[in-house]
C-alpha cells in the first residue's frame, strides 16, 4: 500500500511538470588573459548570442564572465547573462562550474530574475550542455517547470 501511494504521488507530480528547452549560439570575445605561476590561464570574456526556445520565442543574449583553465581542464567558470526575448521580456542567469573539459561542458544555471512571468523562474535551476569551436559556443538547455508556468511564459 505504501509503495502504491508513492507511485501515485510520483505520477501526479510528473503530470504537472513541463519542459522549457532552448538552443543558443554565441560568440566569445576575450577581454583579458593572464597566465598564472602554476601555468593555469585566467580569462575574462564577454559573450553575445542568439537562440530560440520551445515557446517559439527568439532571444538575444549578452554575457560577461571569467574562467580559469589548466592543461585543457576547467578549474572555475562563472558567467552572468542578460537575455532579451522577442516579446520584450528579459531574464538574467548565472552559470558556474568548477570542473570539466575546457571545450565542452554540462552543468546547471540559475535564474536570477526576470520581467513579468519570467520573474517566477527566479531561483530555478536548469541543466545545460555546451560545446566550443574556435570563438563560438553551441548550447542547449532544459528546465523542468510546472505546466501553469509554461503556459504563462508562452503569452
Amino acid at each position: 500500500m505504501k509503495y502504491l501511494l508513492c507511485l501515485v504521488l510520483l505520477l501526479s507530480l510528473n503530470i504537472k511538470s513541463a519542459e522549457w528547452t532552448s538552443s543558443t549560439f554565441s560568440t566569445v570575445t576575450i577581454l583579458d588573459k593572464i597566465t598564472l605561476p602554476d601555468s593555469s590561464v585566467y580569462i575574462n570574456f564577454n559573450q553575445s548570442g542568439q537562440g530560440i526556445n520551445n515557446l517559439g520565442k527568439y532571444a538575444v543574449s549578452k554575457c560577461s564572465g571569467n574562467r580559469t583553465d589548466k592543461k585543457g581542464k576547467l578549474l572555475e567558470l562563472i558567467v552572468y547573462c542578460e537575455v532579451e526575448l522577442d516579446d520584450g521580456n528579459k531574464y538574467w542567469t548565472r552559470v558556474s562550474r568548477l570542473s570539466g573539459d575546457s571545450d565542452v561542458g554540462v552543468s546547471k544555471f540559475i535564474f536570477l530574475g526576470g520581467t513579468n512571468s519570467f520573474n517566477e523562474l527566479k531561483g530555478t535551476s536548469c541543466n545545460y550542455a555546451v560545446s566550443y569551436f574556435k570563438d563560438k559556443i553551441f548550447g542547449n538547455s532544459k528546465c523542468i517547470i510546472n505546466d501553469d508556468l509554461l503556459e504563462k511564459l508562452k503569452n
Side-chain angles (χ1 to χ4, degrees):
M1 181 67 170
K2 176 171 66 170
Y3 297 110
L4 181 60
L5 182 59
C6 289
L7 180 63
V8 170
L9 179 60
L10 285 174
L11 289 174
S12 68
L13 290 174
N14 287 334
I15 292 171
K16 295 283 186 188
S17 66
E19 286 185 1
W20 176 35
T21 60
S22 64
S23 294
T24 58
F25 311 94
S26 301
T27 300
V28 175
T29 303
I30 295 175
L31 303 174
D32 197 18
K33 189 174 188 178
I34 299 171
T35 301
L36 301 171
D38 67 353
S39 76
S40 61
V41 179
Y42 173 83
I43 299 170
N44 182 264
F45 62 90
N46 283 340
Q47 180 179 319
S48 62
Q50 60 279 334
I52 188 165
N53 61 44
N54 66 335
L55 303 175
K57 297 177 191 251
Y58 295 99
V60 293
S61 62
K62 63 179 179 179
C63 305
S64 183
N66 56 65
R67 63 183 295 140
T68 306
D69 296 274
K70 184 174 182 179
K71 296 181 182 175
K73 296 292 182 185
L74 177 71
L75 300 178
E76 182 178 37
L77 169 75
I78 186 159
V79 183
Y80 290 93
C81 295
E82 177 183 83
V83 180
E84 183 177 357
L85 301 170
D86 62 357
D87 65 2
N89 280 299
K90 287 185 179 184
Y91 59 84
W92 293 264
T93 62
R94 183 187 74 226
V95 173
S96 60
R97 268 195 304 141
L98 295 174
S99 65
D101 291 328
S102 292
D103 58 350
V104 296
V106 176
S107 192
K108 295 185 179 293
F109 68 91
I110 301 286
F111 279 92
L112 301 175
T115 59
N116 301 311
S117 297
F118 286 87
N119 198 49
E120 292 186 43
L121 291 166
K122 186 175 182 177
T124 300
S125 176
C126 302
N127 297 316
Y128 77 88
V130 294
S131 295
Y132 300 87
F133 178 65
K134 296 193 177 194
D135 65 343
K136 307 297 183 205
I137 298 174
F138 305 86
N140 292 297
S141 62
K142 178 170 56 171
C143 302
I144 304 300
I145 58 175
N146 68 51
D147 290 330
D148 294 337
L149 181 53
L150 185 68
E151 288 305 313
K152 286 181 186 178
L153 297 176
K154 287 180 183 179
N155 298 324

